[in-house]
Amino acid sequence: MTELKRSSGLLLHPTSLPGPYGIGDIGEAAYRWVDFLVRAKQRIWQILPLGPTGYGDSPYQTSSVFAGNPLLIDVARLAREEFITNEALINAPSFSEGRVNFETVINWKLPLLLEAANNFLQKAGGEEKNAYQDFCNRNNGRWLHGFAFFMALKNHFGGGAWSDWPAELKLRNYEALQSHENQLKHEIELYKVLQYLFYKQWFDLKHYANENGIQIMGDIPIYTSYDSAEVWANQDYFHLDTDGNPEVVAGVPPDLFSKTGQLWGNPLYRWEVLAKDGFRWWIERVEMNLQCVDLVRLDHFRGFEGYYAVPFGDPTAEHGEWNTGPGSAFFDKLIERLGDIPFIAENLGFITPEVEALREKYNYPGMKILQFAFDSGPENDFLLHHHDKNCVVYTGSHDNDTTSGWFQKASEDEKDYLIKYLGRQPEDIAWELIRLAFASPAVLAIIPMQDVLGLDSSARMNMPGNPSGNWSWRLLPDQISEHHAKRLAEFSEIYGRTG
C-alpha cells in the first residue's frame, strides 16, 4: 500500500451538511465544507457509502453498490442549469433543521429529480448529451443499465423488494426481462440520467477537494443489501436457493455487547463462484469506488478471512457458524488487476491472529477507537501507548455515541482511568480525546464532526441494532465557527498532522 502521510481529518457524511432542502447534498454547502477543512489544516474528509439508501435509510443498505444516491444531487445547480424551475425550489416544503426526515425528503425530491431527468433528455445541449452518452457507454455493461432497469421495475411494482416480483422476473426469465425492458424504456433512461447528474456533481466536488489538498476517504461495506440490483442480477454469486431466497445471512456471534449477537441479514457470497470468475464483480466494485474517493475504509475486514453464517429465518445470530473467507487469493487478484489499493481495514470486534496476519501481509492500516480504550487497564490495545504508525485513530466512529454522550454513560472505573491517563480532570471531554487522537503515533487521526462541536448523544449518527431513527443528524447552518477551525489547525500543527 502507498505510504500515507501523517495527517488528520473529519468524519461527516454529505447528508449531514446544512442546506434548505431537507438533506445535505453535494452543492454549495459541500464546497464550503471543503474550505473549512482547508482552514482547519485537515487533509482527510471521511464519508460513508454514497449509494442509494434502502432499509432504515442506512447508507450500508443500498439498492446498488455502484450507483450514487440521487438524494445527494444539488437541486439548486439543476435550477441554474434550467433542468428544473426556480419556482419548484421556492415552493419546497418547510423542512426542519438539524434532522433529515427521509420520508418527507424522498416524497418531494425524487419526483423533482425525475422531472429534471426528463427535462435533461429534452433540453440538454449537444456537448452535455455527448458527455451523458459517454457516461452510459463506460458504465452500461458493468452496472448502469442493470441498476436503471432494476429501479424502473421496482417503481413499476410499487417499490416492493425484487423477491416479491412475478417469478419470471424474480428469476430473470429472458423473455420476461426483454418484454419489461421494452415497456419501461423511458423510465430506465430517466434513472440513467440521474446517475449521470449525480456523478457529474460528485466528480466536480472531488476535483475541488483534491485541488485544495483534501483527500476523500470512502467506505466499502463488505456485504450488499438483499434488495439490490447486484444481488438480483448476480444470484449465482450469493447463497440463494432456487427461488432466489437467502439460505444463510450475515451477522456476528454473541459477545459481551450482545447476548444474542448481531443479525445483519445480508446475503452471503459464494466465494468459490466469485473466485472462478476471477473476482471480476469485486474488482469492478473496488475500481468504481477508487474513481470516487482517494482512500477506502474496507468495512468488516475480518469477513475476508472468516465470516459468520446464520441460517436464514433464525430470529437471532446465536446459531451461526464460522466459514473460511477468500483471504489472500482475493487481495492478490485485486492487486494484480488494480495495483496498489489504499485500503484502511476496519478490524474492530472479534479479531483473530489470522485476521491480523492477513491485514499485516498487505500493510493495511487498522482502526483504533479511543472510546474503547479505558475499560480494562493499561493492557487495553486501544490505548495510545499500544498504537503504532500503521493505524487510523478515531475518538469514535459513526457507530459509536458521541464522545460527550459516551463519557456521560461511562462507568466510574472508566472515568477514573481516563482521568489518570490524562493526568488531569477533563474540562471538555471531547477535545481531550481529540488531543489524544492527534498525539497518537497513528498515521491518520479522524474525528467525527459531532465531537469537534462537543455534542451529546442526541447528535449520534447510528445506534447499531435500532431499525429506525438513525443517519438523520445534520449540522445547523451557523454551527461551525472559525474557533473550531483555529483549534483544529493548532492541534494539527502541534502534533505534526498538517500533511
Side-chain angles (χ1 to χ4, degrees):
M1 173 171 168
T2 303
E3 188 172 354
L4 299 171
K5 291 184 178 180
R6 181 174 172 84
S7 56
S8 57
L10 302 180
L11 168 58
L12 183 83
H13 197 51
T15 57
S16 294
L17 289 164
Y21 303 117
I23 190 170
D25 59 36
I26 52 179
E28 185 65 21
Y31 287 81
R32 302 294 73 80
W33 167 252
V34 170
D35 294 342
F36 170 79
L37 290 171
V38 173
R39 294 197 303 277
K41 297 192 176 179
Q42 303 306 294
R43 293 292 174 259
I44 307 292
W45 174 15
Q46 183 174 342
I47 61 173
L48 306 180
L50 287 170
T53 53
Y55 176 73
D57 306 308
S58 170
Y60 292 88
Q61 296 287 346
T62 63
S63 55
S64 171
V65 298
F66 291 91
N69 186 353
L71 296 180
L72 293 174
I73 292 173
D74 174 19
V75 290
R77 178 171 171 176
L78 296 185
R80 292 194 299 273
E81 294 170 337
E82 300 185 348
F83 297 132
I84 57 175
T85 65
N86 288 316
E87 287 75 20
L89 301 185
I90 293 169
N91 295 325
S94 297
F95 295 103
S96 60
E97 293 184 332
R99 288 280 168 187
V100 181
N101 184 319
F102 284 95
E103 183 177 3
T104 304
V105 169
I106 290 167
N107 288 340
W108 173 74
K109 193 166 185 177
L110 276 185
L112 185 63
L113 289 171
L114 289 168
E115 179 185 336
N118 193 57
N119 290 335
F120 175 92
L121 292 173
Q122 296 177 21
K123 298 179 180 180
E127 186 176 343
E128 184 93 61
K129 279 283 183 67
N130 288 338
Y132 168 63
Q133 194 56 55
D134 181 60
F135 174 78
C136 291
N137 291 341
R138 284 184 283 110
N139 295 290
N140 265 339
R142 293 197 300 173
W143 67 272
L144 179 62
H145 185 78
F147 167 73
F149 187 21
F150 175 82
M151 292 305 298
L153 280 171
K154 181 178 269 289
N155 187 57
H156 179 71
F157 289 111
W162 65 264
S163 55
D164 295 327
W165 296 350
E168 64 271 17
L169 289 172
K170 175 180 173 180
L171 300 179
R172 301 182 61 81
N173 173 270
Y174 178 79
E175 288 77 14
L177 292 176
Q178 288 292 108
S179 173
H180 282 79
E181 192 171 357
N182 291 331
Q183 180 184 344
L184 299 172
K185 185 176 181 180
H186 183 65
E187 288 82 355
I188 293 169
E189 197 73 17
L190 294 181
Y191 284 107
K192 289 183 183 182
V193 171
L194 290 188
Q195 288 304 302
Y196 167 74
L197 294 172
F198 169 85
Y199 278 109
K200 176 186 174 184
Q201 292 190 3
W202 176 256
F203 288 134
D204 285 349
L205 176 60
K206 181 180 183 294
H207 178 72
Y208 183 79
N210 291 166
E211 273 199 327
N212 283 277
I214 305 299
Q215 290 187 303
I216 298 176
M217 184 194 299
D219 195 320
I220 297 182
I222 183 174
Y223 296 124
T224 62
S225 172
Y226 173 67
D227 188 25
S228 66
E230 285 77 38
V231 174
W232 175 62
N234 302 284
Q235 295 179 39
D236 289 347
Y237 286 165
F238 299 88
H239 279 283
L240 307 181
D241 63 22
T242 54
D243 291 322
N245 300 310
E247 297 174 323
V248 287
V249 295
V252 290
D255 56 21
L256 292 174
F257 301 100
S258 174
K259 293 180 179 178
T260 60
Q262 295 181 39
L263 184 62
W264 298 336
N266 306 80
L268 291 169
Y269 299 107
R270 295 187 189 273
W271 284 112
E272 70 283 1
V273 177
L274 285 159
K276 288 178 182 176
D277 202 14
F279 300 107
R280 176 189 57 82
W281 180 85
W282 259 101
I283 290 167
E284 291 177 351
R285 183 183 180 189
V286 172
E287 186 176 34
M288 184 71 181
N289 270 269
L290 292 175
Q291 293 176 30
C292 297
V293 299
D294 304 292
L295 307 169
V296 177
R297 174 187 178 271
L298 194 55
D299 186 53
H300 196 58
F301 178 82
R302 74 104 51 246
F304 294 100
E305 191 283 326
Y307 61 92
Y308 192 68
V310 182
F312 178 65
D314 278 17
T316 71
E318 294 172 274
H319 304 298
E321 63 178 17
W322 287 101
N323 293 275
T324 302
S328 294
F330 172 73
F331 290 103
D332 288 345
K333 183 59 71 171
L334 284 182
I335 293 166
E336 176 189 319
R337 290 291 302 276
L338 302 178
D340 203 9
I341 302 171
F343 280 145
I344 285 88
E346 187 271 287
N347 59 338
L348 305 173
F350 175 63
I351 302 299
T352 64
E354 291 80 9
V355 176
E356 283 298 273
L358 183 65
R359 181 183 68 81
E360 290 170 1
K361 177 179 179 179
Y362 298 97
N363 203 36
Y364 296 144
M367 289 175 58
K368 302 289 186 184
I369 307 292
L370 291 182
Q371 289 181 22
F372 297 163
F374 304 99
D375 62 357
S376 56
E379 298 307 311
N380 188 308
D381 191 51
F382 292 99
L383 288 165
L384 253 65
H385 58 268
H386 293 300
H387 295 188
D388 61 17
K389 180 181 177 181
N390 196 35
C391 68
V392 182
V393 61
Y394 294 76
T395 51
S397 76
H398 63 275
D399 283 334
N400 294 113
D401 202 343
T402 66
T403 292
S404 293
W406 161 77
F407 189 68
Q408 289 173 4
K409 301 177 184 72
S411 69
E412 290 305 314
D413 286 344
E414 280 182 280
K415 291 177 181 178
D416 288 344
Y417 189 71
L418 172 56
I419 292 167
K420 291 175 183 175
Y421 202 83
L422 293 172
R424 61 186 176 277
Q425 188 74 32
E427 292 183 10
D428 183 330
I429 188 60
W431 276 93
E432 294 286 4
L433 260 63
I434 291 171
R435 183 184 288 276
L436 286 181
F438 276 62
S440 166
V443 65
L444 300 182
I446 306 292
I447 312 299
M449 192 59 200
Q450 293 95 319
D451 285 351
V452 175
L453 299 171
L455 301 179
D456 62 19
S457 299
S458 63
R460 183 170 182 165
M461 193 63 169
N462 180 44
M463 185 175 290
N466 276 21
S468 61
N470 296 316
W471 316 109
S472 63
W473 177 77
R474 293 183 75 196
L475 282 167
L476 297 172
D478 299 315
Q479 204 165 8
I480 303 177
S481 72
E482 287 310 299
H483 163 74
H484 299 115
K486 288 178 181 177
R487 198 168 186 190
L488 286 166
E490 180 183 38
F491 276 21
S492 288
E493 290 170 346
I494 291 169
Y495 298 108
R497 293 194 179 275
T498 58

